[in-house]
Each structure stands twice: as structure tokens, then as C-alpha cells.
Amino acid sequence: NRWLQFDESYDCVVDFIVFLLSDHPGNCTNLNIYTRAKALDVMHGWLVKTENGAMPLVRLFNLTFKDSQSGEIKHLPKVLPSLLFHIYVDVEKTGSSRQFYEKFNIRFHISTILVMLLTDSSCTMYLSCIMRETGKEYFIKFQNLLLNDCTYLMDESLILLQKIHRVDYSKQDHHNSTTPEQHHQNERQLISFMQLSNVNVQLLKLLITHNARVWVREEIVGRLAGMLMGNIKHLSGVRERKELVVRDPLKYHFDPKQLLSSLCESFLRVIRTNEFKQAVAQDERFFDDSFLPTVYNTLRKLSLDHLAVEWGMIDLSRHTLASDPYACIDVDKVPDRYLDPIMFTVMRDPCRLKTSPGVRVDRATIKAHLLNDPLDPFTRAVVDYDRDVESDKALREEIYAFVCAAHSARQG
């Protein structure tokens, strides 16, 4: 903190931090993610733990540094978002036996910094730079990993809340008992997971609010719909909410009203797109006739009237998708070769995989798979998307003709 009292010292330290965070070919730190993570830890500390409270983020506006590779003078706002997104992706595999948990700690710092930059009124320059990154290829990998984290952390947090609920209200039996040691371990884990869940859900909401279109890409829109609806349903259902009641929710950083509000805000931003409407209506796990009215009633009970009003205007009835011949087709009556072998849905854009001769898979499915695993799901050979995946136009036209005929017959 004493260093930050002098502009010259501050600028020098920022130069060093940016150098550690960067991933230039000549920078040896790109071989050690922990060094870069520690630099993030320091930056996170500056922003949220200074002696006088949060440091004014506007100070970051005029900060410049010298590019260690080109020698060019650059402005921090133009490079920091890119660095943060890249590290979020890179930390997925650290090579450590504890990498699964270590990545969450590193990503917590990244998400916290991004939330601060997106919410501080003095950081409009950062907002424009962050939005510029959303159009780049690697940002899709970031989106995929953020959704992975939100899904896992929320699932685990809700399971732990149910376990603690049973202990708090003495609902255990000999088939489902928790020892004091297990209970304390559950509490510690819930505190950690809930903090991570809160900041990730908030970051997701902010990114969707500023640019919803990039979240309805074919390879992620289905997973986004499932994650949002699953958690909204769990936090709004009468029976489900009762199972999440604990004696001291603040102890675990659990604020169900705020969490539900953030998830619903994200849902309301993307439901304006046709792609997301179709993804929601086709998700038979969570979408049914009771989904919308149940959430609406819960929002009213929680006095979230501004969200309830907008929620009440949503129209997701099945007939709104009647113009899409793929939407309501009965897959039991579809020839097997028209179905995606992984998702068992009718293929819209069947593709050949050069690494799996004879196999056809939907383009959206293989793109989503390759975001998490670079190997062929059938032969485990390495797949280069641009080289090894190509459309089967003849089969696509054949499927489309079949679907249109079935759709016409159904319409009478």
C-alpha cells in the first residue's frame, strides 16, 4: 500500500504485473501459470484491499506499459481484459494434482476483477474493450468454461445446502446421517463454493446484459438454457426452496433472493433472441407448463416486482415454435441415421468426421464437444475442426425434406 502512494512506484509495479500476466513467446512465465496467478492475486489485492477501501479504478485509465516483445507503449485498458480471459482459459490445466480446486481460486480473482471493471461507472473504457474481446475465437472457450464453472459450482452448492438443511432441522435418519466432522467439512466447502458461485453468476449476468448475442451461439446456447432454467427452477419451486433453508444463510454467503434475481435477469436478456427461445422450449428436463408461472409467483412473493412484470410477458408456449419444423418432431419416428449419435436429436447440419469414417454428427454437437475435449468422441483421435469437420450436404437436404414432410402432416 505504501508503494501506491507514489505514481512512479505504482506505474513500475503495474509494468511488472502486466509482464507477468502476458503470454508472449519470449516470456518464460507462460510456462508457469502459478507465477501469473500470483500476479493476479497482487492485482486483486490492490483493487479490493487497500487501506482506504477500494482503490479508485479510474486511476487505471491513464496507466501505460512497455510491451516486452515489441517495445511499443500500450494502455492497460486495451490489454487487461484480453489477458484476464486468456488466463481464465489457460488455468483449466495446471499440471498439478490439485488443479481442479486451484483453478477455482485463480478464476475467483479473475471474475472479481472483471465484475469490478464492468460495474464501476468510471470504467466505460474497460467496458468497450471487454466487449471487443467477445468477438474473438478464444472468447468462446472462455464462455464454455464459465458455463462449466457456473453449472458445477451451483450444483454442488445446492447439494451442500440440502445436507446442511437436514442437519439444522434434524431431518436425518440412519440411512442419511452426517457426522459432526462431515458437517463441518460441508460447511467449509459450501462457504467456498457459494462465494465462487456468486461472483460467477454476477459476471455472467453482466456479460449477457452488455452483449446477449454472443451467448446464443449454437455450441453453447443449449447449455446456457439448461444451466439457467435448472437453477432458477431450484430456487423458485416451493418444495425445492424449503430444502435450501438453513439457520444462518449469511454464514455461507447464501442469498437466495439475490441469486435468483441475477439468474432471472440473465434469462430475461437472452430470451429476447429466437435462438434462446428455441433452446428453452426444446429442453424437456426443465421446461414444462409450470415453469413460467412458478417463477412468476416466486418473484412476486420476494417483492422482485420489476422482474415479475417482465417475466409475465414471456411467451414460450410450444405453438410459438410452429414455424420451426425441427422443434416438435417425434424423434421416435425418425430414422436412426438422421439422429445425432451423441445427443439423439434430429441433425440440422450433419457433418463428416475425417477421424471417424462413416460417422455423421450434428455440427453444433461436435463444436460443443471440441470446446471441452480436442479428441474425436468415437476414436479419440485429435480433431482439427477446420480440417477434419465438413458438412454432408446431401444428408442435410434429405433430413430437411423428411422433417418438412412430417411437419406438414402434423399440421394437417
Side-chain angles (χ1 to χ4, degrees):
N1 288 335
R2 293 175 181 172
W3 284 21
L4 302 185
Q5 296 174 4
F6 306 100
D7 290 340
E8 295 82 0
S9 299
Y10 184 81
D11 290 347
C12 289
V13 176
V14 168
D15 285 351
F16 179 66
I17 292 296
V18 173
F19 174 75
L20 290 178
L21 291 176
S22 63
D23 198 22
H24 294 144
N27 185 356
C28 63
T29 59
N30 68 344
L31 301 177
N32 189 344
I33 191 65
Y34 294 106
T35 306
R36 298 163 67 194
K38 183 56 66 176
L40 268 178
D41 192 7
V42 173
M43 179 173 286
H44 176 267
W46 283 353
L47 295 177
V48 300
K49 301 176 183 177
T50 53
E51 290 179 348
N52 299 320
M55 184 188 70
L57 294 183
V58 71
R59 287 198 61 187
L60 295 178
F61 275 159
N62 297 320
L63 290 176
T64 60
F65 68 98
K66 181 179 290 188
D67 189 294
S68 60
Q69 186 178 31
S70 65
E72 178 185 356
I73 300 299
K74 294 185 176 180
H75 290 276
L76 186 59
K78 293 185 178 181
V79 297
L80 183 57
S82 173
L83 296 175
L84 295 177
F85 290 137
H86 271 100
I87 297 176
Y88 198 103
V89 173
D90 292 345
V91 80
E92 178 68 12
K93 295 183 179 180
T94 63
S96 166
S97 59
R98 290 181 51 81
Q99 68 179 16
F100 183 77
Y101 296 101
E102 289 171 340
K103 69 179 182 182
F104 288 126
N105 184 53
I106 297 171
R107 286 175 177 168
F108 175 75
H109 291 154
I110 297 174
S111 297
T112 303
I113 293 172
L114 286 170
V115 166
M116 294 178 71
L117 296 177
L118 285 165
T119 54
D120 193 287
S121 59
S122 65
C123 288
T124 54
M125 183 183 297
Y126 271 101
L127 174 58
S128 63
C129 293
I130 290 173
M131 290 303 101
R132 194 178 302 123
E133 296 300 315
T134 62
K136 298 183 179 179
E137 184 66 25
Y138 76 88
F139 187 78
I140 302 176
K141 296 182 179 179
F142 164 77
Q143 289 176 288
N144 177 64
L145 292 173
L146 180 60
L147 285 178
N148 286 352
D149 291 350
C150 286
T151 300
Y152 173 80
L153 292 169
M154 283 297 301
D155 286 350
E156 291 299 308
S157 296
L158 295 178
I159 291 172
L160 289 168
L161 280 165
Q162 292 171 352
K163 291 180 178 180
I164 293 173
H165 165 81
R166 288 194 290 268
V167 173
D168 283 354
Y169 295 93
S170 303
K171 295 184 178 180
Q172 300 190 93
D173 52 41
H174 65 281
H175 295 295
N176 187 19
S177 59
T178 302
T179 66
E181 292 77 13
Q182 290 173 329
H183 179 65
H184 292 316
Q185 181 178 355
N186 290 340
E187 287 189 314
R188 289 193 301 270
Q189 199 165 32
L190 177 58
I191 291 172
S192 175
F193 282 178
M194 204 70 251
Q195 286 180 293
L196 290 165
S197 295
N198 288 336
V199 70
N200 278 354
V201 168
Q202 188 180 9
L203 175 60
L204 179 65
K205 180 192 74 172
L206 292 168
L207 290 171
I208 289 177
T209 298
H210 290 296
N211 190 352
R213 290 299 312 175
V214 299
W215 291 92
V216 295
R217 291 169 166 140
E218 61 178 352
E219 59 265 47
I220 63 172
V221 64
R223 293 181 53 235
L224 175 64
M227 189 278 290
L228 289 176
M229 284 196 296
N231 287 302
I232 289 174
K233 193 168 186 176
H234 216 120
L235 292 168
S236 60
V238 176
R239 180 180 60 83
E240 292 87 345
R241 289 174 61 206
K242 289 181 179 179
E243 295 177 347
L244 301 178
V245 175
V246 292
R247 295 193 184 280
D248 188 3
L250 295 180
K251 173 183 177 181
Y252 309 114
H253 303 276
F254 178 52
D255 185 345
K257 179 178 179 179
Q258 180 59 47
L259 202 54
L260 179 62
S261 175
S262 295
L263 291 167
C264 286
E265 284 187 56
S266 297
F267 188 93
L268 288 169
R269 296 294 81 77
V270 283
I271 199 61
R272 299 170 183 175
T273 66
N274 290 330
E275 295 91 339
F276 191 75
K277 286 181 180 178
Q278 291 182 358
V280 168
Q282 292 170 14
D283 193 320
E284 297 180 354
R285 297 171 301 166
F286 305 116
F287 180 65
D288 54 33
D289 293 337
S290 65
F291 176 70
L292 291 176
T294 299
V295 178
Y296 175 82
N297 292 333
T298 301
L299 293 174
R300 283 295 191 191
K301 289 178 182 178
L302 296 175
S303 299
L304 294 170
D305 295 334
H306 64 295
L307 292 177
V309 170
E310 193 172 351
W311 193 271
M313 299 172 65
I314 298 175
D315 181 10
L316 277 180
S317 57
R318 294 284 180 175
H319 67 80
T320 61
L321 301 174
S323 60
D324 181 8
Y326 293 87
C328 301
I329 192 169
D330 186 355
V331 295
D332 291 333
K333 299 179 180 179
V334 177
D336 289 344
R337 65 195 189 91
Y338 293 170
L339 297 176
D340 181 272
I342 297 176
M343 302 302 295
F344 298 101
T345 54
V346 181
M347 293 187 286
R348 294 172 181 256
D349 186 5
C351 294
R352 300 184 185 89
L353 296 180
K354 292 183 179 179
T355 50
S356 289
V359 173
R360 299 296 182 271
V361 62
D362 203 14
R363 183 177 297 276
T365 301
I366 192 61
K367 287 178 75 174
H369 170 81
L370 293 176
L371 285 173
N372 292 297
D373 185 352
L375 303 181
D376 186 308
F378 307 102
T379 64
R380 307 307 294 165
V382 176
V383 177
D384 182 314
Y385 177 79
D386 295 326
R387 183 192 64 203
D388 298 328
V389 180
E390 58 182 24
S391 291
D392 187 335
K393 296 181 181 180
L395 181 58
R396 182 175 62 193
E397 293 173 359
E398 185 179 333
I399 294 174
Y400 183 71
F402 173 87
V403 170
C404 288
H407 180 67
S408 298
R410 188 171 56 251
Q411 294 297 314

